[in-house]
Amino acid sequence: MASTCVVGLQWGDEAKGKIVDLLCDQHDAVVRYQGGANAGHTVVADGVTYKLSLMPTGILRQGIDCVIGNGVVIHPPALLEEVEALARQGIAIGDRLHVSDRAHVILPYHLAEERLTEESAIAADHLGTTRRGIGPCYRDKVGRVHGVRVGDLYHPDLFRERLDRIIAYKNRLLTAMLPDFEPFDGRAVADEYLGFAARLRPFACDTVTWLHQALGRGRRLLFEGAQGSLLDVDHGSYPYVTSSNSSAAGIAAGSGVPTRHIDRWIGVVKAYTTRVGGGPFPTEQDNEVGERIRRVGKEYGTVTGRPRRCGWFDAVAVRYAARVSGSTEIALMLLDVLSGLDEVRVAVAYEDDSGGSIPEMPGQLADLERCRPVYETLPGWPDDLTGARSWSDLPAAARDYVRFLSKQIGVPVSIVSVGPERRQTIVIDEGR
Ligand code: GDP
Ligand code: IMO
Ligand code: MG
């Protein structure tokens, strides 16, 4: 066994892309198992910046196969655009991409359906999604009646017939609910999607069989989580979550590979916390500290460009997420961003308004909203960390901060990142 999972332990954007890119050297294929074009991973390699969304990060490395598993939701024009954008940057995909024929397809009405709630007059309905049609597509998947899978696109007559029925239903619903709605033309949508399907034909396959054959040949798989464990539909801050199992819990269902094949469980965290979109965020710093982190960390969404909400590291939330995702090691990212602060804070517990202890991450939104963080304050460090290449290059206060986080999470930190470039990475020896 030498397969690995890389999963975010916060609310997304933990710099999973950088870690996956680094670990490609030790793997043969990168597998996405959930989410879709809501993900935005930025990877900087040799001074060149790449933006990835639906595409597994392994695509940047020649010789690495990339699998978009059955648990992913695919918007074909988004995927095709990404293929073209990568080609413009000189990344050849060739026969390295394998897209599950069981993956569900995002259709234009999913984007319209998302507007129903995100633009509703009822502010409480707004989740602050990425508006990529993710939620409505997963809803149709589990609802079964209206789900469309990649494989359906290769049965054109059946697809046209089915899409006609689905679109008649969606048009009735959307006309009643959206004032400016222009009904979809079933035939035009079918033509367009059959066109996409023809272009995706070389990639579409049974990825479950592909993955098991790869394992049989001793290939090492790298499972790349999108979003983060706190956005998991079951385990996250529901309903302010995404619509998939974005913790490690999604791997088996979303790829068809049982997790007994995985022996390295990496949880990725930032040295602080960010969140995009709505939802509770106990350690949020809506003040100059948060603004500073946003400025130094360039904390703006890759997909939507929205400013990310920023705050202190939340050890209660990460401890919980590490448990759910089974993390046995932590990659601690963006440590350099905290340089220059006089002191750094870490939430080590929660309490309610009257000082009563809340020992664990609450499952109910109302309870999470009541949580007040109990902070431990540690000394900051003035030094620029971006040139550090070994544990001993880090100033003592930064090392103490890393040790403190590791102890709080209850999982060892094995990688520290001090900049976006591949080389700005410190691998920590076991014996430190
Ligand atoms: P992902 O969605 O988890 O892959 O993360 P994003 O790509 O959305 O956000 C992480 C951002 O931080 C990207 O712009 C990376 O280039 C950048 N980044 C990664 N590691 C570091 C680091 O250690 N320090 C700094 N300053 N930036 C980093
Ligand atoms: P990566 O892979 C950060 C957030 C959205 C919103 C919620 C639901 O780059 O870490 P959705 O469009 O999924 O229905 O939105 O989830 N969200 C992310 N936040 N990083 C992501 O991906 C995210 N993908 C979705 O902002 O709050
Ligand atoms: Mg991101």
Side-chain angles (χ1 to χ4, degrees):
M1 281 200 308
S3 291
T4 303
C5 76
V6 171
V7 175
L9 298 185
Q10 292 160 320
W11 281 287
D13 301 325
E14 298 91 346
K16 301 172 291 291
K18 170 171 168 171
I19 291 297
V20 170
D21 175 62
L22 275 174
L23 292 173
C24 277
D25 290 339
Q26 299 155 34
H27 295 84
D28 302 294
V30 177
V31 187
R32 275 282 303 272
Y33 56 89
Q34 46 69 233
N38 49 348
H41 305 167
T42 301
V43 176
V44 185
D46 304 323
V48 183
T49 300
Y50 300 93
K51 304 246 178 229
L52 299 156
S53 186
L54 256 168
M55 194 67 85
T57 297
I59 208 73
L60 302 178
R61 305 275 197 136
Q62 287 306 320
I64 299 278
D65 277 291
C66 288
V67 176
I68 297 183
N70 56 279
V72 175
V73 286
I74 297 175
H75 191 211
L79 179 57
L80 289 163
E81 252 168 53
E82 211 173 330
V83 169
E84 282 167 13
L86 285 165
R88 283 195 295 276
Q89 285 193 288
I91 303 293
I93 286 162
D95 58 359
R96 294 188 295 131
L97 178 64
H98 314 278
V99 177
S100 172
D101 56 3
R102 293 172 171 92
H104 277 249
V105 178
I106 296 181
L107 284 124
Y109 47 77
H110 290 131
L111 304 177
E113 285 177 322
E114 195 157 12
R115 286 178 46 211
L116 277 182
T117 46
E118 287 299 299
E119 292 173 16
S120 149
I122 307 164
D125 287 351
H126 304 172
L127 296 176
T129 71
T130 60
R131 302 198 186 200
R132 294 298 185 271
I134 305 294
C137 182
Y138 276 119
R139 190 161 64 212
D140 278 346
K141 172 180 173 173
V142 293
R144 297 154 300 161
V145 180
H146 296 143
V148 173
R149 310 206 293 183
V150 168
D152 294 331
L153 304 175
Y154 300 106
H155 297 277
D157 295 340
L158 291 174
F159 171 64
R160 281 183 186 282
E161 233 176 75
R162 187 126 182 284
L163 193 65
D164 260 349
R165 277 202 315 276
I166 299 172
I167 285 195
Y169 176 96
K170 302 279 185 184
N171 277 344
R172 281 204 301 279
L173 181 88
L174 288 162
T175 307
M177 302 285 290
L178 270 181
D180 59 343
F181 178 68
E182 281 280 327
F184 290 108
D185 172 354
R187 200 193 167 101
V189 177
D191 287 345
E192 191 186 17
Y193 271 65
L194 290 172
F196 296 142
R199 293 166 64 196
L200 290 174
R201 182 70 265 198
F203 310 124
C205 68
D206 169 1
T207 52
V208 177
T209 299
W210 191 96
L211 286 165
H212 282 270
Q213 284 175 347
L215 285 168
R217 289 196 304 271
R219 298 287 188 264
R220 300 155 301 174
L221 307 179
L222 177 48
F223 293 89
E224 174 176 25
Q227 291 82 55
S229 302
L230 301 176
L231 286 170
D232 185 291
V233 67
D234 282 286
H235 303 290
S237 49
Y238 191 89
Y240 292 96
V241 291
T242 191
S243 297
S244 64
N245 285 119
S246 51
S247 66
I251 294 175
S255 69
V257 177
T259 49
R260 68 182 165 81
H261 291 282
I262 299 176
D263 55 5
R264 230 184 134 182
W265 297 79
I266 303 179
V268 189
V269 295
K270 277 180 173 159
Y272 46 92
T273 313
T274 62
R275 177 161 205 171
V276 210
F281 179 175
T283 61
E284 181 167 16
Q285 297 299 301
D286 194 7
N287 55 29
E288 63 284 2
V289 170
E291 277 160 28
R292 186 200 156 97
I293 292 175
R294 185 177 309 115
R295 190 181 69 250
V296 180
K298 302 192 179 66
E299 293 293 358
Y300 294 87
T302 315
V303 175
T304 57
R306 291 178 288 178
R308 293 175 181 153
R309 299 157 64 192
C310 298
W312 297 119
F313 192 89
D314 186 340
V316 183
V318 171
R319 204 182 292 143
Y320 163 76
R323 219 186 239 174
V324 168
S325 280
S327 310
T328 55
E329 54 185 291
I330 298 289
L332 179 66
M333 314 302 288
L334 295 109
L335 184 63
D336 53 299
V337 173
L338 296 182
S339 288
L341 291 164
D342 293 335
E343 48 187 36
V344 280
R345 293 184 168 195
V346 178
V348 295
Y350 293 152
E351 57 184 29
D352 61 25
D353 276 334
S354 44
S357 162
I358 302 176
E360 296 291 343
M361 183 90 178
Q364 284 301 111
L365 183 66
D367 297 330
L368 189 53
E369 278 170 343
R370 279 188 317 123
C371 288
R372 304 285 163 254
V374 178
Y375 288 114
E376 287 251 359
T377 302
L378 286 85
W381 54 90
D383 323 58
D384 174 8
L385 306 186
T386 56
R389 296 293 176 270
S390 69
W391 178 246
S392 57
D393 288 344
L394 293 175
R399 289 202 300 256
D400 286 347
Y401 182 67
V402 176
R403 284 199 197 96
F404 184 79
L405 294 189
S406 172
K407 196 156 168 244
Q408 281 295 323
I409 306 166
V411 180
V413 172
S414 60
I415 298 172
V416 174
S417 173
V418 292
E421 282 276 357
R422 282 174 185 161
R423 63 175 189 282
Q424 293 176 301
T425 311
I426 298 170
V427 177
I428 299 180
D429 300 333
E430 299 248 326
R432 79 181 147 87

